[in-house]
Amino acid sequence: MPINYEQLMALKNLGQKYAYTDREVMLYAYGIGMGADPMDENELAFVNEGTFTPRPLKVVPTFASVAAWGSSPGEMNLNRVMVVDGERDITFYKPLPSAAKITADSTVLDVFDKGKDKGAVIRHQTVLKDENGDKLATLVASRFARGDGGFGGPSEGQPEPHKVPSRAPDKIVDITTRPDQALVYRLCGDRNPLHSDPEFARKAGFPRPILHGMCTYGITCRGVLQTYADYDPSAFKQHVARFSSPVYPGETVTMELWKDGNIISFEAKVKARGVTVIKSGKTVLG
């Protein structure tokens, strides 16, 4: 059934309760590829708590994207086969603890109609809070519902994307994904068969299962961690990325990064196919 604009805009779900432990924190870090080199002490700090020399487990900032997996403003009644991630923008207020009980408040921000044959864009927000009610992070998600356009909603007013510099990148890093990476990452919560079921992927228009957009998002966080953040999660104040093309598990993601003060701009490509997979990326460090 077509989107009901007024009903969708009114969706709200406050006080959703969640909890996670260091197991989920380590699984997420491994799911975005950290620990591929089992002797890399910088990345081991995110996937191993240390034994002979105890050290606190670090939490990848973008773990916030799965810390309250399943939280949402409510049922949107979209054509699930045709829905893909459009953008993610997370603002961080303080480092996430390695284990916590949290609450999530979710609301719909905007719904844009791109046209009957062009789909719809839904932006919704989730605020994560700790047990004291203090904000941990605010997540703004943009969904591109390719099969749900033409409902008569507004078409203008979407936020302008971040513009990356026109000069040559200041740094370039290659991050390799594993052929089975989507099968690992899905254990963080996203069981969408688009990432694991070849038949489902073909019906959705892809030759084989694709990597989760949010896994690619986490990979870009890794790229900033290892280049400009000195593997310090507390340095992250915001991390934004727009998804422009899927990554297939096993491909190498090449990140191009530009540093301007505390702003890190980035894009990501799969050179083997000549495609840009992440556009308009921005990290604010502080």
Side-chain angles (χ1 to χ4, degrees):
M1 57 187 299
I3 284 176
N4 184 307
Y5 178 74
E6 287 75 19
Q7 288 182 5
L8 200 52
M9 286 295 297
L11 286 180
K12 181 184 299 186
N13 197 353
L14 307 181
Q16 302 165 84
K17 294 183 179 181
Y18 292 87
Y20 65 85
T21 68
D22 61 355
R23 180 185 184 278
E24 286 73 35
V25 166
M26 290 186 282
L27 178 61
Y28 175 81
Y30 182 65
I32 63 170
M34 302 188 96
D37 178 356
M39 296 300 290
D40 184 337
E41 293 287 347
N42 287 316
E43 292 201 349
L44 279 176
F46 294 88
V47 295
N48 186 308
E49 64 275 20
T51 304
F52 286 111
T53 304
R55 52 171 161 70
L57 182 69
K58 291 184 178 181
V59 183
V60 179
T62 51
F63 171 73
S65 64
V66 299
W69 176 256
S71 60
S72 75
E75 178 54 55
M76 298 184 183
N77 295 312
L78 304 175
N79 182 346
R80 183 185 178 197
V81 174
M82 301 293 284
V83 175
V84 294
D85 263 317
E87 179 178 342
R88 200 64 95 253
D89 178 349
I90 302 182
T91 298
F92 308 96
Y93 303 107
K94 55 184 177 180
L96 294 170
S98 59
K101 293 180 179 178
I102 60 176
T103 59
D105 295 338
S106 300
T107 54
V108 173
L109 297 176
D110 305 289
V111 184
F112 298 102
D113 189 349
K114 297 174 69 68
K116 183 172 178 57
D117 299 320
K118 297 181 179 179
V121 175
I122 301 99
R123 297 177 69 244
H124 56 94
Q125 172 181 282
T126 298
V127 179
L128 304 183
K129 299 177 182 178
D130 63 18
E131 286 189 284
N132 297 320
D134 295 329
K135 289 183 180 180
L136 292 169
T138 294
L139 294 69
V140 176
S142 174
R143 294 187 189 182
F144 181 32
R146 296 177 292 164
D148 291 282
F151 57 91
S155 59
E156 304 294 330
Q158 293 188 60
E160 289 294 321
H162 173 67
K163 293 184 178 180
V164 303
S166 57
R167 67 179 189 272
D170 298 320
K171 289 191 178 182
I172 299 175
V173 295
D174 290 329
I175 300 177
T176 302
T177 66
R178 299 186 305 273
D180 64 344
Q181 193 149 341
L183 298 179
V184 175
Y185 184 83
R186 73 191 299 261
L187 301 180
C188 296
D190 189 347
R191 299 289 188 93
N192 186 338
L194 177 61
H195 310 293
S196 60
D197 186 327
E199 181 182 12
F200 188 96
R202 286 193 296 270
K203 288 185 181 298
F206 299 99
R208 56 194 174 98
I210 63 175
L211 193 62
H212 303 69
M214 290 308 297
C215 184
T216 305
Y217 179 76
I219 287 171
T220 63
C221 182
R222 279 182 64 198
V224 177
L225 274 169
Q226 72 185 62
T227 53
Y228 291 114
D230 195 29
Y231 287 96
D232 179 9
S234 69
F236 280 68
K237 305 305 176 188
Q238 186 183 22
H239 191 69
V240 185
R242 294 171 72 95
F243 308 106
S244 56
S245 188
V247 174
Y248 291 95
E251 293 185 320
T252 296
V253 175
T254 299
M255 280 188 71
E256 299 177 342
L257 304 101
W258 296 261
K259 186 178 189 300
D260 294 286
N262 67 329
I263 304 295
I264 310 300
S265 302
F266 61 87
E267 289 194 337
K269 301 177 179 179
V270 173
K271 289 184 176 179
R273 288 188 289 119
V275 296
T276 299
V277 297
I278 293 289
K279 292 182 177 180
S280 306
K282 180 180 75 171
T283 302
V284 179
L285 301 176

